[in-house]
């Protein structure tokens, strides 16, 4: 007989060992449902067609069971018997297996939803707590405002704390704006003192560094550059300050150098007064660049000048008295790159002579340059009229 395979529904002989479509065993492995007569597997407890339990009797079988004699109704005469009795209404089939499956699935679904909601709420709370702690540590107003905008349902204590922190940052920003408007070192130092953790502290220090450097460069002294380097050991202009300091220090005239120059000109003017040629020449450099504003002067020209001072017959003696108004600077020779000395001072010439009508006293302003070897290379004198 040809049947439908209870597994896949493919037509197959009931004597076939297996279904040629799905491979399930057929011969000896199938049976008929006692309720609906449908073909089903022998090991199934519930008919897949009518969904009845195959181990329970059908309504029809229960109706065919004879009533025990003790319970048989007495025969009623035909005249007295009811016309006809209606058969009992069939009882609805109970699909207890399906209901049980549905309830279990519903319970599982509710459990999944509950667990998912729990983890969702837990994650949200953790995210809010992390954002709250991060905002508390932040000094950026945008971060705090972002927390208030996103976490509207956050605990009120958290929102109040962040709002108060935001107001403090706004006040700090206002104070920073005021300090920037004045551009005052005093105002910037006060801001740093009041708000050492502010994001503007670095910028304030850079501005102070710039202000101090400008003042040091304007003063252009050893002390100004030294003070800048001590105050700003990591300043942006430290290298420039060090370079300028070294240049000024290189041009600083030491007491020993002052003494050397003083002795040099005392020797020069003493030689002039005594008409001592050898001593005079020892004070002069190998090249005399200018002498009384004349260029290309030789040592012989200087000696000739000395001789002229003593030409007058009425001169008995003379001497030169150097003043205390010395000014000595170190300057760089643009031709050689060496440092030489620029010297200015005043000198009085006193002449002892017989002719009372001739000049006995004259004051000169001396402007000279001295080589690194300590020799006179420029000498110019201008008489001061009194």
């Amino acid at each position: 007989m040809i049947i439908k395979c209870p597994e896949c529904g493919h037509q197959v002989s009931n004597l076939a060992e297996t279904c040629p479509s799905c491979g399930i065993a057929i011969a000896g492995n199938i049976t008929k449902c006692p309720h609906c007569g449908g073909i089903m597997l022998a090991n199934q407890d519930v008919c897949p067609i009518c969904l009845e339990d195959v181990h329970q009797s059908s309504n029809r079988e229960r109706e065919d069971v004879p009533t025990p004699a003790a319970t048989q109704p007495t025969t009623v005469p035909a005249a007295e018997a009811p016309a006809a009795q209606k058969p009992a209404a069939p009882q609805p089939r109970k699909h207890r297996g399906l209901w049980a499956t549905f309830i279990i699935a519903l319970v599982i679904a509710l459990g999944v939803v509950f667990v998912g909601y729990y983890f969702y709420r837990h994650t949200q709370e953790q995210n809010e707590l992390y954002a709250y702690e991060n905002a508390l540590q932040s000094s950026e107003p945008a971060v705090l405002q972002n927390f208030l905008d996103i976490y509207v349902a956050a605990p009120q204590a958290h929102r109040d704390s962040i709002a108060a922190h935001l107001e403090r940052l706004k006040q700090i920003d206002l104070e920073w704006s005021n300090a920037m408007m004045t551009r005052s070192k005093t105002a910037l130092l006060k801001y740093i003192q009041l708000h050492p953790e502010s994001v503007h502290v670095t910028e304030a220090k850079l501005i102070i560094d710039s202000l101090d450097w400008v003042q040091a460069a304007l003063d252009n002294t050893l002390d100004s550059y030294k003070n800048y380097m001590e105050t700003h050991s990591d300043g942006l202009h430290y290298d420039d300050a060090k370079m300028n300091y070294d240049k000024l220090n290189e041009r600083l005239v030491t007491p020993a150098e002052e003494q050397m120059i003083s002795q040099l000109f005392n020797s020069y003017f003493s030689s002039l007064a005594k008409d001592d040629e050898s001593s005079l020449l020892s004070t002069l450099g190998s090249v005399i660049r200018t002498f009384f504003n004349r260029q290309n002067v030789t040592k012989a020209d200087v000696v000739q000048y000395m001789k002229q001072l003593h030409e007058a017959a009425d001169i008995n003696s003379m001497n030169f008295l150097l003043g205390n108004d010395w000014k000595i600077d170190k300057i760089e020779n643009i031709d050689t790159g060496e440092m030489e000395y620029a010297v200015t001072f005043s000198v009085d010439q006193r002449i002892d002579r017989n002719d009372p009508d001739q000049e006995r006293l004259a004051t000169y302003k001396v402007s000279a340059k001295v080589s690194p070897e300590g020799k006179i290379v420029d000498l110019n004198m201008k008489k001061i009229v009194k």
Side-chain angles (χ1 to χ4, degrees), residues 24-69:
I24 194 170
I26 297 297
N29 192 38
I30 60 174
T31 185
K32 286 186 177 182
C33 173
H35 303 296
C36 67
I39 302 299
M40 59 180 289
L41 296 175
N43 59 356
Q44 290 181 309
D45 295 328
V46 177
C47 175
I49 300 174
C50 67
L51 303 179
E52 287 286 349
D53 190 339
V54 298
H55 301 294
Q56 292 183 354
S57 299
S58 65
N59 292 334
R60 182 178 297 176
E61 290 174 343
R62 287 194 296 268
E63 291 173 358
D64 293 339
V65 176
T67 304

Side-chain angles (χ1 to χ4, degrees), residues 253-312:
V253 180
T254 65
E257 291 171 324
E258 290 179 354
Q259 184 178 7
M260 179 271 292
I261 291 172
S262 175
Q263 290 176 349
L264 173 66
F265 284 100
N266 273 294
S267 178
Y268 170 79
F269 283 102
S270 177
S271 299
L272 287 180
K274 294 177 180 179
D275 195 15
D276 185 345
E277 182 177 337
S278 61
S279 295
L280 179 68
L281 293 175
S282 67
T283 64
L284 303 175
S286 57
V287 176
I288 310 299
R289 296 182 302 221
T290 60
F291 186 74
F292 282 83
N293 296 316
R294 291 186 299 148
Q295 297 180 347
N296 301 320
V297 177
T298 65
K299 290 183 178 182
D301 294 328
V302 180
V303 172
Q304 181 63 33
Y305 164 74
M306 180 183 67
K307 297 299 183 183
Q308 291 174 352
L309 290 177
H310 296 275
E311 279 182 346

Side-chain angles (χ1 to χ4, degrees), residues 250-254 256-258 260-261 264-265 289 327-333 338-344 367-375 377-378:
E250 185 182 5
R251 296 181 180 184
L252 182 66
V253 180
T254 65
E257 291 171 324
E258 290 179 354
M260 179 271 292
I261 291 172
L264 173 66
F265 284 100
R289 296 182 302 221
K327 185 177 186 303
I328 306 173
D329 294 313
K330 277 185 179 179
I331 60 174
E332 183 179 354
N333 186 309
E338 295 180 311
M339 301 300 294
E340 56 186 28
Y341 305 90
V343 185
T344 60
S367 175
K369 286 187 175 65
V370 178
S371 70
E373 295 76 26
K375 303 296 181 180
V377 291
D378 288 276

Side-chain angles (χ1 to χ4, degrees), residues 76 96 180 192 196 202 253 273 281 302 343 351:
V76 179
R96 289 179 295 176
M180 284 293 292
I192 293 174
T202 299
V253 180
L281 293 175
V302 180
V343 185
I351 305 173

Side-chain angles (χ1 to χ4, degrees), residues 137-372:
Q137 300 299 321
S138 177
S139 55
E140 291 287 347
V143 174
L144 279 73
Q145 188 61 54
N146 189 54
F147 174 88
L148 294 176
D149 293 341
I150 294 177
Y151 296 98
V152 179
Q156 192 60 41
H158 287 188
R159 292 184 57 82
D160 291 344
S161 178
I162 295 300
H165 187 30
L166 180 59
E167 285 302 315
R168 287 194 298 271
L169 291 182
K170 289 181 178 179
Q171 180 61 33
I172 292 174
D173 278 349
L174 178 60
E175 293 176 9
W176 169 246
S177 298
N178 293 336
M180 284 293 292
M181 288 180 61
T182 62
R183 201 82 175 177
S184 162
K185 179 179 177 180
T186 302
L188 292 169
L189 287 173
K190 182 178 179 180
Y191 178 86
I192 293 174
Q193 181 181 7
L194 293 176
H195 310 292
E197 302 300 326
S198 171
V199 294
H200 301 297
V201 166
T202 299
E203 185 177 356
K205 289 181 178 179
L206 289 175
I207 296 174
I208 292 173
D209 175 82
S210 178
L211 293 174
D212 285 350
W213 166 246
V214 169
Q215 188 59 52
L218 287 174
D219 294 342
N220 195 34
T221 64
L222 288 172
D223 287 340
S224 68
Y225 291 125
K226 182 180 179 181
N227 182 63
Y228 173 85
M229 290 187 291
E230 290 177 348
T231 307
H232 304 280
S233 58
D234 57 348
L236 295 177
H237 308 282
Y238 183 91
D239 291 340
D240 293 332
K242 182 67 167 60
M243 180 181 65
N244 291 351
Y245 178 88
D246 291 342
K247 284 183 178 180
L248 289 180
N249 191 50
E250 185 182 5
R251 296 181 180 184
L252 182 66
V253 180
T254 65
E257 291 171 324
E258 290 179 354
Q259 184 178 7
M260 179 271 292
I261 291 172
S262 175
Q263 290 176 349
L264 173 66
F265 284 100
N266 273 294
S267 178
Y268 170 79
F269 283 102
S270 177
S271 299
L272 287 180
K274 294 177 180 179
D275 195 15
D276 185 345
E277 182 177 337
S278 61
S279 295
L280 179 68
L281 293 175
S282 67
T283 64
L284 303 175
S286 57
V287 176
I288 310 299
R289 296 182 302 221
T290 60
F291 186 74
F292 282 83
N293 296 316
R294 291 186 299 148
Q295 297 180 347
N296 301 320
V297 177
T298 65
K299 290 183 178 182
D301 294 328
V302 180
V303 172
Q304 181 63 33
Y305 164 74
M306 180 183 67
K307 297 299 183 183
Q308 291 174 352
L309 290 177
H310 296 275
E311 279 182 346
D314 68 321
I315 295 179
N316 298 319
S317 65
M318 72 174 62
N319 64 70
F320 292 90
L321 180 63
L322 279 63
N324 292 322
D325 54 349
W326 291 84
K327 185 177 186 303
I328 306 173
D329 294 313
K330 277 185 179 179
I331 60 174
E332 183 179 354
N333 186 309
I334 59 175
D335 295 324
T336 65
E338 295 180 311
M339 301 300 294
E340 56 186 28
Y341 305 90
V343 185
T344 60
F345 60 94
S346 62
V347 59
D348 292 335
Q349 180 187 23
R350 299 178 184 273
I351 305 173
D352 179 17
R353 60 197 322 165
N354 297 325
D355 188 348
D357 295 329
Q358 297 297 320
E359 186 178 50
R360 294 175 180 271
L361 176 64
T363 300
Y364 297 90
K365 188 69 174 179
V366 179
S367 175
K369 286 187 175 65
V370 178
S371 70

